[in-house]
Coordinates of all heavy atoms in Angstrom, one line a residue:
A4 N -13.0 9.5 -11.3 CA -12.1 9.1 -10.2 C -12.1 7.6 -10.0 O -11.0 7.0 -9.8 CB -12.6 9.8 -8.9
L8 N -8.5 5.7 -10.6 CA -7.9 5.2 -9.4 C -7.8 3.6 -9.5 O -6.8 3.0 -9.1 CB -8.6 5.6 -8.2 CG -8.4 7.1 -7.8 CD1 -9.4 7.5 -6.8 CD2 -7.0 7.4 -7.4
I11 N -5.0 2.8 -11.9 CA -3.7 2.9 -11.2 C -3.4 1.8 -10.3 O -2.3 1.2 -10.3 CB -3.6 4.3 -10.5 CG1 -3.6 5.4 -11.4 CG2 -2.4 4.3 -9.5 CD1 -3.9 6.8 -10.8
A12 N -4.4 1.3 -9.6 CA -4.2 0.2 -8.7 C -4.0 -1.1 -9.4 O -3.1 -1.9 -9.1 CB -5.5 0.0 -7.8
L53 N -2.8 -4.6 0.6 CA -3.4 -3.3 0.6 C -3.8 -2.9 -0.8 O -4.8 -2.1 -0.9 CB -2.3 -2.3 1.1 CG -2.1 -2.5 2.6 CD1 -0.9 -1.6 3.1 CD2 -3.3 -2.3 3.5
L54 N -3.2 -3.4 -1.9 CA -3.8 -3.1 -3.2 C -5.2 -3.8 -3.4 O -6.1 -3.2 -4.0 CB -2.8 -3.7 -4.3 CG -1.7 -2.7 -4.7 CD1 -0.7 -3.4 -5.6 CD2 -2.3 -1.5 -5.3
L56 N -7.2 -4.3 -0.9 CA -8.1 -3.4 -0.1 C -8.5 -2.2 -0.9 O -9.6 -1.7 -0.9 CB -7.4 -3.0 1.2 CG -8.1 -2.0 2.1 CD1 -9.4 -2.6 2.7 CD2 -7.2 -1.5 3.2
T57 N -7.5 -1.6 -1.6 CA -7.7 -0.4 -2.4 C -8.8 -0.7 -3.5 O -9.7 0.1 -3.7 CB -6.4 0.2 -3.0 OG1 -5.6 0.5 -1.9 CG2 -6.7 1.3 -3.9
L58 N -8.6 -1.7 -4.2 CA -9.5 -2.1 -5.3 C -10.9 -2.3 -4.7 O -11.9 -1.9 -5.3 CB -9.0 -3.3 -6.0 CG -7.8 -3.0 -6.9 CD1 -7.2 -4.3 -7.4 CD2 -8.2 -2.2 -8.1
S60 N -12.1 -1.1 -1.9 CA -12.7 0.2 -1.4 C -13.1 1.1 -2.6 O -14.2 1.8 -2.5 CB -11.6 1.0 -0.7 OG -11.2 0.2 0.5
L61 N -12.4 1.1 -3.7 CA -12.9 1.8 -4.9 C -14.2 1.3 -5.4 O -15.0 2.1 -5.9 CB -11.8 1.9 -5.9 CG -10.5 2.6 -5.6 CD1 -9.4 2.4 -6.6 CD2 -10.8 4.1 -5.4
L69 N -20.3 8.0 -4.6 CA -19.6 9.1 -4.0 C -19.1 10.1 -5.1 O -18.8 9.7 -6.2 CB -18.4 8.7 -3.1 CG -18.8 7.7 -2.0 CD1 -17.5 7.3 -1.2 CD2 -19.8 8.3 -1.1
D71 N -16.8 12.7 -7.3 CA -15.4 12.5 -7.8 C -14.4 13.1 -6.8 O -13.4 12.5 -6.5 CB -15.3 13.2 -9.2 CG -15.3 12.2 -10.3 OD1 -15.6 11.0 -10.0 OD2 -15.0 12.6 -11.4
P72 N -14.6 14.4 -6.3 CA -13.6 14.9 -5.4 C -13.4 14.0 -4.1 O -12.3 13.8 -3.7 CB -14.1 16.3 -5.0 CG -15.0 16.7 -6.2 CD -15.6 15.4 -6.7
Y73 N -14.5 13.6 -3.6 CA -14.5 12.7 -2.4 C -13.7 11.4 -2.7 O -12.9 11.0 -1.9 CB -15.9 12.4 -1.9 CG -16.0 12.0 -0.5 CD1 -16.2 12.9 0.5 CD2 -15.9 10.6 -0.1 CE1 -16.3 12.5 1.9 CE2 -16.0 10.3 1.2 CZ -16.1 11.2 2.2 OH -16.2 10.8 3.5
T74 N -14.0 10.8 -3.8 CA -13.3 9.6 -4.2 C -11.9 9.8 -4.5 O -11.0 9.0 -4.1 CB -14.0 9.0 -5.5 OG1 -15.4 8.7 -5.2 CG2 -13.4 7.7 -5.9
W75 N -11.5 11.0 -5.1 CA -10.1 11.3 -5.3 C -9.3 11.4 -4.0 O -8.2 10.9 -3.8 CB -9.9 12.6 -6.1 CG -10.0 12.5 -7.6 CD1 -11.0 13.0 -8.3 CD2 -9.2 11.7 -8.5 NE1 -10.8 12.6 -9.7 CE2 -9.7 11.9 -9.8 CE3 -8.0 11.0 -8.3 CZ2 -9.1 11.3 -10.9 CZ3 -7.4 10.4 -9.4 CH2 -8.0 10.6 -10.7
V76 N -10.0 12.0 -3.0 CA -9.3 12.1 -1.7 C -9.1 10.8 -1.0 O -8.0 10.4 -0.5 CB -10.1 13.1 -0.7 CG1 -9.6 13.0 0.7 CG2 -10.0 14.5 -1.3
V77 N -10.2 10.0 -1.0 CA -10.1 8.6 -0.4 C -9.0 7.8 -1.2 O -8.2 7.1 -0.6 CB -11.5 7.9 -0.4 CG1 -11.3 6.4 -0.1 CG2 -12.4 8.6 0.6
G78 N -9.1 7.9 -2.5 CA -8.1 7.1 -3.3 C -6.7 7.5 -3.1 O -5.8 6.7 -3.0
A79 N -6.5 8.9 -3.0 CA -5.1 9.4 -2.7 C -4.6 8.9 -1.4 O -3.5 8.5 -1.2 CB -5.1 10.9 -2.8
L80 N -5.5 8.9 -0.4 CA -5.1 8.4 0.9 C -4.8 6.9 0.9 O -3.9 6.5 1.6 CB -6.2 8.8 2.0 CG -6.3 10.2 2.4 CD1 -7.6 10.5 3.2 CD2 -5.1 10.6 3.3
L81 N -5.6 6.2 0.2 CA -5.4 4.7 0.1 C -4.0 4.5 -0.6 O -3.2 3.6 -0.2 CB -6.5 4.1 -0.7 CG -7.8 3.9 0.1 CD1 -8.9 3.5 -0.9 CD2 -7.7 2.9 1.2
A82 N -3.8 5.2 -1.7 CA -2.5 5.0 -2.4 C -1.3 5.4 -1.5 O -0.3 4.7 -1.4 CB -2.5 5.9 -3.7
A83 N -1.4 6.6 -0.9 CA -0.3 7.1 0.0 C -0.1 6.1 1.1 O 1.0 5.8 1.5 CB -0.6 8.5 0.5
G84 N -1.2 5.6 1.7 CA -1.1 4.7 2.8 C -0.5 3.4 2.4 O 0.4 2.8 3.2
T85 N -0.8 2.9 1.3 CA -0.3 1.6 0.8 C 1.2 1.7 0.5 O 2.0 0.9 0.9 CB -1.0 1.2 -0.5 OG1 -2.4 0.9 -0.2 CG2 -0.4 -0.1 -1.1
I86 N 1.6 2.8 -0.1 CA 3.0 3.1 -0.4 C 3.8 3.3 0.9 O 4.9 2.7 1.0 CB 3.2 4.2 -1.4 CG1 2.6 3.9 -2.8 CG2 4.6 4.7 -1.5 CD1 2.4 5.1 -3.7
S87 N 3.3 4.1 1.8 CA 4.0 4.3 3.0 C 4.1 3.1 3.9 O 5.2 2.8 4.4 CB 3.2 5.4 3.8 OG 3.2 6.6 3.1
Q88 N 3.0 2.4 4.1 CA 3.0 1.2 5.0 C 4.0 0.2 4.4 O 4.8 -0.3 5.2 CB 1.6 0.7 5.1 CG 1.6 -0.6 6.0 CD 0.7 -0.5 7.2 OE1 -0.5 -0.3 6.9 NE2 1.1 -0.7 8.4
S89 N 3.8 -0.2 3.2 CA 4.7 -1.3 2.7 C 6.1 -0.7 2.5 O 7.1 -1.4 2.8 CB 4.1 -1.9 1.4 OG 4.0 -0.9 0.4
L110 N 7.6 5.6 8.8 CA 6.9 5.6 7.5 C 5.7 4.6 7.6 O 4.6 4.8 7.1 CB 7.8 5.4 6.4 CG 7.3 5.5 5.0 CD1 6.8 6.9 4.7 CD2 8.4 5.2 3.9
T111 N 6.0 3.4 8.1 CA 5.0 2.4 8.2 C 3.8 2.8 9.1 O 2.7 2.6 8.8 CB 5.6 1.1 8.8 OG1 6.6 0.6 7.9 CG2 4.6 0.0 9.0
V112 N 4.1 3.5 10.2 CA 3.1 4.0 11.1 C 2.3 5.1 10.4 O 1.0 5.1 10.5 CB 3.7 4.5 12.4 CG1 2.6 5.2 13.3 CG2 4.3 3.3 13.2
L113 N 3.0 6.0 9.7 CA 2.3 7.0 8.9 C 1.3 6.4 7.9 O 0.2 6.8 7.7 CB 3.3 7.9 8.2 CG 2.7 9.0 7.2 CD1 1.9 10.0 8.0 CD2 3.8 9.7 6.5
G114 N 1.8 5.3 7.2 CA 0.9 4.6 6.3 C -0.3 4.1 6.9 O -1.4 4.1 6.4
A115 N -0.2 3.5 8.1 CA -1.3 3.0 8.8 C -2.3 4.1 9.1 O -3.5 3.9 9.0 CB -0.9 2.3 10.1
A116 N -1.8 5.2 9.5 CA -2.7 6.4 9.8 C -3.4 6.8 8.6 O -4.6 7.1 8.6 CB -1.9 7.5 10.4
E117 N -2.7 6.9 7.4 CA -3.3 7.3 6.2 C -4.4 6.3 5.8 O -5.5 6.8 5.3 CB -2.3 7.4 5.1 CG -1.3 8.6 5.3 CD -0.1 8.4 4.4 OE1 0.4 7.3 4.0 OE2 0.5 9.5 4.0
L118 N -4.2 5.1 5.9 CA -5.2 4.0 5.6 C -6.4 4.1 6.5 O -7.5 4.0 6.0 CB -4.5 2.7 5.6 CG -3.5 2.4 4.5 CD1 -2.7 1.1 4.9 CD2 -4.2 2.2 3.2
T119 N -6.1 4.4 7.8 CA -7.2 4.5 8.7 C -8.1 5.7 8.3 O -9.3 5.6 8.3 CB -6.7 4.7 10.2 OG1 -5.9 3.5 10.5 CG2 -7.8 4.9 11.2
V120 N -7.5 6.8 8.0 CA -8.3 8.0 7.7 C -9.1 7.7 6.4 O -10.3 8.1 6.3 CB -7.4 9.3 7.5 CG1 -8.1 10.4 6.9 CG2 -6.8 9.7 8.8
A121 N -8.4 7.1 5.4 CA -9.1 6.8 4.1 C -10.3 5.9 4.4 O -11.4 6.1 3.8 CB -8.2 6.1 3.2
L122 N -10.2 4.8 5.2 CA -11.3 3.9 5.4 C -12.4 4.5 6.2 O -13.6 4.3 6.0 CB -10.8 2.6 6.1 CG -9.8 1.8 5.2 CD1 -9.2 0.6 5.9 CD2 -10.6 1.3 3.9
L123 N -12.0 5.4 7.2 CA -13.1 6.0 8.0 C -13.8 7.1 7.1 O -15.0 7.2 7.2 CB -12.5 6.7 9.2 CG -12.0 5.8 10.3 CD1 -11.3 6.5 11.4 CD2 -13.1 4.9 10.9
A124 N -13.1 7.7 6.2 CA -13.7 8.7 5.3 C -14.7 7.9 4.4 O -15.8 8.4 4.1 CB -12.7 9.5 4.5
L125 N -14.2 6.8 3.9 CA -15.1 6.0 3.0 C -16.3 5.5 3.7 O -17.4 5.6 3.2 CB -14.3 4.8 2.4 CG -15.0 3.8 1.5 CD1 -15.6 4.6 0.3 CD2 -14.1 2.7 1.1
A126 N -16.1 5.1 5.0 CA -17.3 4.6 5.7 C -18.3 5.7 5.9 O -19.5 5.5 5.8 CB -16.8 4.1 7.1
Y127 N -17.8 6.9 6.2 CA -18.6 8.1 6.4 C -19.4 8.4 5.1 O -20.6 8.7 5.1 CB -17.8 9.3 6.9 CG -18.6 10.6 7.0 CD1 -19.4 10.8 8.1 CD2 -18.6 11.5 5.9 CE1 -20.2 12.0 8.2 CE2 -19.4 12.7 6.0 CZ -20.2 12.9 7.1 OH -20.9 14.0 7.2
G128 N -18.6 8.4 4.0 CA -19.2 8.7 2.7 C -20.3 7.7 2.3 O -21.4 8.1 1.8

Side-chain angles (χ1 to χ4, degrees):
L8 290 166
I11 291 166
L53 293 173
L54 274 173
L56 173 68
T57 297
L58 288 165
S60 297
L61 292 171
L69 301 181
D71 260 8
Y73 200 91
T74 302
W75 277 115
V76 169
V77 169
L80 284 167
L81 287 166
T85 298
I86 292 166
S87 298
Q88 178 127 55
S89 58
L110 189 59
T111 296
V112 171
L113 175 64
E117 291 165 331
L118 290 164
T119 299
V120 171
L122 293 174
L123 291 175
L125 178 59
Y127 176 79

